Amino acid sequence: MVLLLVSALKSFGINQEYQRGVLFRLGRLGTMKGPGWYWLIPFVDRVIRVDQRIITYQLETQETITRDGVAVRVNAVVWFRADSPTQVVTSVEDWRGATVQAAETALRDAIGQSELDQMLKDRVSINHRLQQLLREASLKWGVEIDAVEIKDVDIPEQMQRAIAKEAEAIREKRARIIRAQGEQEAAAKLSEAAEVISKAPGALELRRLQTLSEIGVEHNSTIIAMLPVELVHAARKIAGMPDATDD
């Protein structure tokens, strides 16, 4: 009676929606089971359950050297899942451990093929390259790599100072260019104004009067006496001096 009860328990199995059962009948690979309930032949069939949900794993920090010779410490996060339960069971003993080891190796390879500036400015392309390297190794195990993301990049302190100086120099360069462009535009406007004033004899006198009114508004104690241009020209002619405007 006890033997029949044990046999009945061994012949009945249930898989969750995210589980698949890889069947072995007398040691040979059989039909995959699940999800739901299924029957087995007692003492003949054996089922290994495989969880197909996505696994999130944070890789340990890797110390490596970039292509331009900078020592960095990098860690990353990898998302993977069992795409083919049959391959996962029959191709590798520990598919989770094998995937993690392959991810750490691929991370070092991807960093070694990249320069420091690219790591800091364009992580998307490095993540894509890292995913491709890891996928090439894991597909033969039936493991699908959904995503790989570099999380932290730790660079030496002296390199951080050098990067800060470079960024400061770039900002100063931009400020100087903007200031020079402003001065160039201002000079062009002044040149246009001077040309307009030279064509209108009364414009210079109006500008002179406007300047006097602006000085008076500020309540200054300094008095500036400005003679009209016509008086200056007349004084030059009386004194017999050549006029600057005469050709």
Side-chain angles (χ1 to χ4, degrees), residues 1 11-12 15 18 30 47 58 68 76 84 124 139-140 151 182 228:
M1 189 67 180
S11 63
F12 179 74
N15 284 340
Y18 53 82
V47 169
Q58 180 172 338
D68 50 351
S84 174
V124 175
L139 280 179
K140 58 185 177 183
K151 187 177 180 182

Side-chain angles (χ1 to χ4, degrees), residues 141-194:
W141 304 329
V143 179
E144 177 64 28
I145 306 300
D146 287 336
V148 183
E149 297 287 342
I150 294 178
K151 187 177 180 182
D152 297 317
V153 178
D154 186 13
I155 61 179
E157 185 176 354
Q158 63 270 19
M159 186 59 63
Q160 294 180 14
R161 290 195 296 267
I163 293 174
K165 290 180 180 178
E166 180 183 1
E168 183 179 358
I170 292 175
R171 289 193 296 269
E172 184 177 356
K173 174 184 176 182
R174 291 176 180 173
R176 290 183 177 180
I177 291 175
I178 293 173
R179 190 182 304 114
Q181 290 176 347
E183 293 177 355
Q184 182 181 6
E185 293 178 1
K189 294 298 182 182
L190 289 174
S191 178
E192 293 177 4

Side-chain angles (χ1 to χ4, degrees), residues 22-61:
V22 180
L23 175 66
F24 289 91
R25 179 163 294 168
L26 295 176
R28 298 186 64 86
L29 183 64
T31 307
M32 189 168 57
K33 301 294 183 180
W37 64 273
Y38 53 88
W39 292 99
L40 300 174
I41 301 175
F43 307 105
V44 175
D45 293 341
R46 182 172 68 93
V47 169
I48 299 177
R49 289 190 177 93
V50 177
D51 193 329
Q52 288 194 297
R53 290 177 293 182
I54 295 176
I55 298 174
T56 303
Y57 191 89
Q58 180 172 338
L59 302 177
E60 295 183 0
T61 301

